[in-house]
Amino acid sequence: QVQLVESGGGLVQPGGSLRLSCSAPGSTLANSAIGWFRQAPGKDREGISCISSSGRNKHYGGGVEDRFTVSRDNGKNVVYLQMNSLKPEDTAVYYCAWEPVCMGTRIDPRPGYFNWGRGTQVTVSS
């Protein structure tokens, strides 16, 4: 599997919104579940969302369900993470990953997963 590419991060004020995108240059996302993770400075990587290959099943972790929405457009080969009502504690580098393990609010990378991309920085600050 190719390395996924994250984009859409930036600096936003508290209460603002961002939409992150996850793409797979030279490959297709359409047949795979995709997960979103984030890592804040000094903290472990945290699973925050995953979406099945069809888009019908979605999971959220990290207490973001009321503010974040995961979606996908398999025709455009992209997975999105819409983030609303952003808070300073959402500041982190955000990553997407192939085939995460999703059970309720528990979202983990597949065991042995190593093919992390560069991520996209999200900074929430006034």
Side-chain angles (χ1 to χ4, degrees), residues 1-124:
Q1 291 171 325
V2 301
Q3 194 173 72
L4 296 172
V5 177
E6 305 88 353
S7 62
L11 173 63
V12 63
Q13 292 186 342
S17 297
L18 285 172
R19 188 177 76 164
L20 306 184
S21 298
C22 173
S23 62
S27 185
T28 179
L29 294 170
N31 301 320
S32 300
I34 297 294
W36 283 99
F37 298 81
R38 66 184 179 186
Q39 188 165 22
K43 296 188 177 180
D44 293 335
R45 200 182 324 253
E46 174 186 35
I48 57 172
S49 184
C50 64
I51 185 168
S52 63
S53 58
S54 67
R56 284 193 290 268
N57 297 313
K58 303 176 183 181
H59 296 260
Y60 297 93
V64 304
E65 184 168 3
D66 292 340
R67 300 183 294 119
F68 292 8
T69 303
V70 64
S71 63
R72 66 190 304 155
D73 185 335
N74 285 340
K76 294 183 178 179
N77 203 37
V78 64
V79 173
Y80 301 107
L81 184 68
Q82 178 68 42
M83 307 188 297
N84 298 327
S85 302
L86 283 161
K87 304 175 181 180
E89 50 264 44
D90 294 317
T91 295
V93 179
Y94 285 70
Y95 303 88
C96 54
W98 297 96
E99 300 289 357
V101 179
C102 303
M103 295 182 66
T105 59
R106 177 80 184 256
I107 298 164
D108 293 309
R110 194 176 61 216
Y113 190 85
F114 65 93
N115 199 18
W116 297 99
R118 297 180 64 180
T120 187
Q121 175 71 48
V122 171
T123 302
V124 185

